Amino acid sequence: MANMKTFTINGTNLSFVDRGGGRPILFVHGFPLDHSMWNGQIERFSARYRVIAPDLRGFGQSGISEGVVEMAQFADDLAALLDFLEIDEPVALCGLSMGGYIAFQFWRRHVERLRGLILCDTRAAKDTPEAAANRLVVAEKVLREGSHIVAETMIPRLFSPVTLQNQPHLAEEIRQIIVHTDPRGIAAAALGMARRADFTAELSGINCPALLVVGQHDAITPVAEMQVMANAIPGAKFEIIPRAGHMAPLERPDAVSAAIADFLQRI
Ligand code: MLT
């Protein structure tokens, strides 16, 4: 997407889209992607809202931090971006998967800046020991062999079978994003996810409006798990997107955007 802007935080350049005007919404992408997974939502919501969609540290056009990037660091980067943009009013934060893990950290660290939380295809639980161990293997492998390794393993699990059949170009778009992502950015975020804290016990304390959205065929963060999360958050709204998988906002942009639009009108 054209018109990306950049700001610098402790020597690292971070790129973002800032479009439209009105109440701010922050769209936070999943792993190992960039802001463009939200293109459908950026287009739609910038007609009525101020849409901010960053490339997280290590992804898209943003600079890289080698080693480990914790979810808290990503959350603090978002707060720094809001400071840079001089946005003082609370924002709606919409995060997908890793973007949701970051949203939980944003809640912990910057709750006063939140108007509402939109959690797409994500989980509150931390990694199982097996999943965390696997992240270390993936991090080493991607640094050794390249980003295509992650594309090969993840893409079949990112989309619903219906999407892979009917919209194969989406899988190719995502593959292109992943193979053009620096392995150091992928490894650092994978190691950060492996270390993330469990947020499950804190769900009942979320006291801002929340919407949870999940693709019916999400193979990574399944409907049943998100239903339990939605039940735990007081007053949360829960929306299942038919025929979509983990990448619901990309697979069925209109359905996901309709759920988000309805939520935003009510908060
Ligand atoms: C994502 O979509 O951000 C990833 O699937 C998250 C994860 O690997 O846990």
Side-chain angles (χ1 to χ4, degrees), residues 125-236:
K126 65 179 181 182
D127 279 359
T128 61
E130 297 74 31
N134 188 49
R135 303 255 197 218
L136 309 195
V137 174
V138 169
E140 275 176 22
K141 203 165 172 187
V142 82
L143 289 171
R144 212 173 43 239
E145 296 179 34
S147 302
H148 65 96
I149 292 294
V150 185
E152 281 156 24
T153 52
M154 279 193 83
I155 285 176
R157 306 187 66 222
L158 287 177
F159 296 100
S160 77
V162 186
T163 302
L164 289 171
Q165 169 104 32
N166 296 345
Q167 304 185 84
H169 62 281
L170 292 182
E172 182 52 25
E173 276 173 29
I174 290 294
R175 201 181 73 80
Q176 287 301 326
I177 293 172
I178 299 176
V179 299
H180 288 105
T181 301
D182 192 302
R184 293 170 299 169
I186 296 181
L191 296 174
M193 288 194 285
R195 286 189 192 178
R196 75 186 192 281
D198 200 302
F199 196 80
T200 310
E202 286 162 76
L203 293 174
S204 61
I206 292 183
N207 59 2
C208 72
L211 165 68
L212 281 76
V213 178
V214 64
Q216 179 190 11
H217 302 298
D218 189 331
I220 297 177
T221 49
V223 169
E225 188 171 346
M226 286 206 70
Q227 175 75 69
V228 172
M229 286 166 61
N231 292 345
I233 301 175

Side-chain angles (χ1 to χ4, degrees), residues 37-119:
M37 62 149 287
W38 297 112
N39 277 350
Q41 285 73 32
I42 294 170
E43 194 62 40
R44 170 160 176 174
F45 287 101
S46 58
R48 287 197 53 194
Y49 296 91
R50 181 171 183 181
V51 174
I52 300 146
D55 282 347
L56 295 168
R57 188 182 280 266
F59 297 95
Q61 295 180 33
S62 287
I64 295 155
S65 297
E66 293 192 46
V68 183
V69 179
E70 306 259 4
M71 300 302 105
Q73 172 72 66
F74 288 127
D76 289 352
D77 287 346
L78 298 178
L81 172 57
L82 295 176
D83 286 342
F84 173 76
L85 295 172
E86 298 182 356
I87 295 177
D88 300 327
E89 67 176 296
V91 301
L93 195 166
C94 175
L96 178 126
S97 201
M98 182 176 79
Y101 311 158
I102 297 166
F104 290 134
Q105 284 299 318
F106 195 89
W107 162 263
R108 270 192 186 164
R109 301 163 77 85
H110 307 287
V111 66
E112 72 288 349
R113 305 191 85 146
L114 273 177
R115 183 191 300 278
L117 270 179
I118 303 161
L119 301 165

